[in-house]
Amino acid sequence: MASIGPVIAQQMHFSAPLSLKCGATLADYTLVYETHGTLNADRSNAVLVCHALNASHHVAGVDAEGATGWWDNLIGPGKPLDTERFFVIGVNNPGSCFGSTGPMHVNPATGRVWGADFPVQTVEDWIDAQWRLVDRLGIGQLAAVVGGSLGGMQALAWTLRHPTRVRHCVAVATAPNLSAQNIAFNEVARRAIVTDPDFHGGHFYEHGVVPKRGLRVARMIGHITYLSDDAMDVKFGRALRNAELAFSTQAIEFQIESYLRYQGDKFSEYFDANTYLLITRALDYFDPAAEHGGNLARAFEPARANRFLLVSFTTDWRFSPARSRELVKALVDNRIAVSYAEIAAPHGHDAFLLDDARYHGVMRAYFERVALEAEAG
Amino acid sequence: MSERRDFEVIAGLVPAGSRVLDLGCGNGELLAHLQRHKGCSGYGIEIDDAKVQACVQRGVDVIQLNLDEGLALFEDRSFDVVLQLETLQHLRNTEQMLRETARVGRIGIVSFPNFAHWPNRLRVAAGRMPVTKALPYQWYDTPNIRVGTFADFEVLARKNGLAVTDSFGLQQGRVVRRWPNLRASVAVFRFERR
């Protein structure tokens, strides 16, 4: 299937202050975004794509640096999220490191780079920031909001925060909150970063260094949790890097070690340490049921007019099917329209980024309905 | 098209405007019909990937679940009608699902192949397991792991405290009310919790 081809990111500046859940305010901010397809005459075909931990606004096509969008297998002409029918918006969240206002930028109040002082972000803050972009683009109501993992949490939060501004929510491989084990993985990653001597309390920019060691370890642990035991076994097993064991505690002996180090190195070259801290915290904090005494069904009461598609993957142990079923139950308890697919994919959490035929089949079928509805006006 | 008539007979048992849970909803045809023509709402439950996709395609809300895991997702009496059509013969936990059906719905409607239909009896009397239109499988590769009769279900319903409010057989699209255990290939029961 055809890809979108070259795509140029755009920017929008917002001068009205953004109040954050943490109590702080972003005096002004810029969002980087990209769009695909054409907004129809009655502006009813817009789909917002929310990104997860290490992704960005660059969802599809090829950007100026030659990089392919992170959800290019899903989004494009003739693809399940068809850019010939939808106007697709990818947006980079505040606090991220792909161009939107973040910790590597200058705090206008102090004239100093934000660093670790960048205000703590929540999923709800991001929804408010995204809402203004959607509003400014002249879209009264999104046809759908879609995301996987942390992006799925944002898609859910849209229906709780701005239920009348979105019709459909497509949330893949996500959860109503993180489990203790999940927070624990995030904490290990954060400790790896903040204990790196190059972190300098989050103000490493002015020292001209990057806490790469911490970022590498953070990425390595994250990567392990995104794969299933079986997927790792199939891909690497106990394969050795060299023909013979080196009997060294430091050298790379197994291919899995080589792979994790490579992933860690690559990640530390482009990802920002403060962003990693901020985004994992946003994950930890997301818990819409908390304000309702832990009652998830009550949390979803505002979403009664919305329609949902939830998808999970059987081997995803970081955002397991059981967590998606909790969401299904909360929606069913509210008599909300929901479809739920539980895909027997072997790849673990990463499956949401891959193009399994059953997964993309159900996504295509759902977006087909969304498109017909949008085209009917 | 006797299947079509079976379908219409079953649809006729569902009161207009009902909230329906269809266990083993297949490609969602019946729910789509009930939504379009009888103002019903609700969900289908299906385990098969292709059928789940078919439901989504036709705009029927479907939840992919293995019914052998029960109906923990659903609260007591949260549906007007729970349908279990041509499904119970595939379930390991038939009795538990029957109780779950009665717990979740105000009305339960069940249909299944009647093993006591006379051609089956003749076949068994001749010493072989039946292979018929309603039971088209050889004994060694049948997906029907529960084979029961119209009369057996009456006993099971009584045992579980279910009040049968209607029951009949279906034979080639016709409703059979006289001797259904002998004369019908499909058994249909409508029941409520006592």
Side-chain angles (χ1 to χ4, degrees), chain B residues 70-78 98-106 193:
Chain B
L71 295 178
L73 273 181
F74 305 101
E75 296 290 330
D76 294 2
R77 307 224 149 199
S78 50
L98 193 61
R99 279 195 224 120
E100 283 282 88
T101 297
R103 175 184 68 81
V104 168
R106 279 170 231 285
R193 199 162 51 170

Side-chain angles (χ1 to χ4, degrees), chain A residues 140-161:
Chain A
Q141 191 185 47
L142 292 163
V145 56
V146 53
S149 191
L150 174 59
M153 289 175 169
Q154 292 163 64
L156 296 170
W158 260 93
T159 70
L160 307 181
R161 217 154 165 83

Side-chain angles (χ1 to χ4, degrees), chain A residues 307 325 328-329 331-333 335-342 358 361-362 365-366 368-369, chain B residues 19 43 49 52-53 56-65 69 72-75 78-79:
Chain A
R307 305 180 71 88
R325 282 190 218 152
V328 172
K329 173 149 181 35
L331 296 171
V332 167
D333 285 350
R335 304 187 161 206
I336 293 171
V338 54
S339 282
Y340 169 59
E342 200 169 289
R358 295 158 296 178
V362 82
Y366 195 81
E368 172 75 25
R369 303 296 305 186
Chain B
R19 200 163 160 71
Y43 311 95
D49 293 317
V52 167
Q53 190 178 321
V56 172
Q57 193 99 47
R58 55 161 42 114
V60 165
D61 282 320
V62 60
I63 296 169
Q64 190 163 22
L65 273 187
E69 290 168 21
L73 273 181
F74 305 101
E75 296 290 330
S78 50
F79 291 87

